């Protein structure tokens, strides 16, 4: 059976995202978890951009193309509010909302507008989750692949240091290593997009990859519930 490198990248993104969110919601003083979690945003950001590029030629409006994201996000917010979860986490710490808003800007305005939007959000401390990271991905996406990955991950490293200035040297070294390995995975993906795996590996990798949106919102709701209990 065959899977795509896209699936492997998404699994890595899912695992590191969950680790990051455990740190964010439950263990905010543990920066090691946040360092590992820095891997997730570039992966999902680049994959989202690839989806935007593929859909550019379709004769459909942006809202129609992103209806699955929008419906899932509205459902998640309603469930969270009914459960009494913190509205800040539901609305302003939601990477899907970032993708929807900035994806629309990318398709309907200049790339610079996305960067300005992200900077303004940060300066106002509105903290729409990961807007600076996604702005860097959008800005450099039109570059050739090898340059694109190098520029994106270099800027993501700088943003990580800006957002987490107390990172120690070992944590910075770990972040550099994780970003380097991520770049190599993108290189392999661009050479050959498929890899043969056994049946159990196909199940473990393909299905979480296929339902990554559901995994995102379900694990956030679970962590918010744990946060209330603790």
């Amino acid at each position: 059976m065959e899977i795509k490198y896209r699936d492997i990248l998404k699994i890595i993104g899912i695992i590191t995202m969950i680790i990051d969110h455990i740190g964010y919601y439950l263990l905010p003083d543990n920066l090691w978890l946040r360092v590992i979690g820095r891997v997730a945003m570039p992966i999902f950001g680049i994959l989202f951009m690839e989806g935007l590029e593929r859909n550019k030629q379709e004769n459909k409006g942006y809202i129609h193309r992103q209806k699955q994201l929008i419906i899932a996000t509205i459902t998640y917010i309603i469930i969270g509010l009914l459960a009494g979860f913190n509205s800040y986490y539901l609305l302003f710490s939601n990477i899907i909302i970032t993708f929807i808003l900035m994806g629309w800007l990318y398709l309907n305005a200049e790339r610079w507008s996305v960067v300005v939007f992200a900077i303004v959000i940060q300066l106002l401390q509105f903290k729409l989750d990961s807007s600076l990271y996604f702005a860097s991905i959008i800005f450099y996406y039109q570059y050739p692949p090898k340059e694109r990955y190098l520029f994106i991950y270099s800027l993501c490293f700088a943003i990580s240091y800006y957002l987490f200035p107390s990172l120690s040297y070992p944590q910075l070294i770990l972040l550099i290593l994780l970003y380097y390995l991520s770049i190599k995975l993108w290189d392999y993906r661009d050479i050959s997009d498929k890899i043969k795996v056994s049946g159990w590996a196909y199940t473990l990798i393909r299905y979480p990859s296929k339902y990554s949106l559901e995994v995102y919102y379900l694990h956030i709701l679970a962590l918010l519930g744990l946060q209330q209990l603790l």
Side-chain angles (χ1 to χ4, degrees), residues 27-213:
L27 302 167
D29 294 328
N30 191 326
L31 287 180
W32 287 101
L33 299 179
R34 306 308 310 280
V35 167
I36 295 172
R38 298 307 89 201
V39 175
M41 178 60 198
I43 289 175
F44 286 117
I46 294 172
L47 291 174
F48 185 79
M49 287 299 299
E50 288 183 350
L52 287 183
E53 290 295 318
R54 283 197 305 271
N55 291 329
K56 255 186 176 180
Q57 306 303 321
E58 295 183 10
N59 189 25
K60 297 177 182 178
Y62 179 72
I63 299 298
H64 179 81
R65 292 201 303 271
Q66 305 302 331
K67 63 181 180 182
Q68 182 183 3
L69 292 181
I70 294 171
I71 292 171
T73 301
I74 293 172
T75 303
Y76 158 77
I77 292 172
I78 291 173
I79 292 173
L81 290 174
L82 290 175
F85 295 152
N86 189 318
S87 59
Y88 170 83
Y89 290 116
L90 296 173
L91 297 171
F92 304 134
S93 185
N94 188 331
I95 199 171
I96 305 300
I97 293 178
T98 303
F99 282 174
I100 292 171
L101 292 177
M102 298 183 74
W104 182 87
L105 277 175
Y106 168 75
L107 293 176
N108 294 277
E110 297 293 330
R111 281 186 298 165
W112 278 107
S113 66
V114 179
V115 178
V116 171
F117 174 81
I119 292 173
V120 170
I121 288 295
Q122 189 64 33
L123 291 176
L124 293 177
Q125 297 186 335
F126 197 61
K127 300 202 175 190
L128 193 59
D129 191 50
S130 300
S131 58
L132 287 175
Y133 289 105
F134 195 40
S136 68
I137 293 168
I138 289 176
F139 189 76
Y140 286 114
Y141 187 80
Q142 301 301 326
Y143 283 67
K146 285 190 176 295
E147 294 180 20
R148 175 194 310 162
Y149 303 142
L150 179 60
F151 287 147
I152 285 174
Y153 279 95
S154 296
L155 194 51
C156 283
F157 176 82
I159 293 169
S160 296
Y161 186 71
Y162 164 71
L163 294 177
F164 301 95
S166 59
L167 289 179
S168 65
Y169 285 118
Q171 289 167 338
L172 290 172
I173 291 171
L174 175 61
L175 183 57
I176 291 172
L177 178 61
L178 291 173
Y179 276 174
Y180 172 77
L181 293 175
S182 297
I183 291 173
K184 298 306 291 183
L185 276 174
W186 286 111
D187 289 340
Y188 291 137
R189 197 285 300 265
D190 290 337
I191 295 171
S192 174
D193 195 30
K194 293 186 178 180
I195 182 172
K196 291 185 178 180
V197 297
S198 61
W200 66 268
Y202 179 88
T203 301
L204 288 175
I205 294 173
R206 183 70 186 100
Y207 286 99
S209 169
K210 182 178 179 180
Y211 297 105
S212 56
L213 179 62

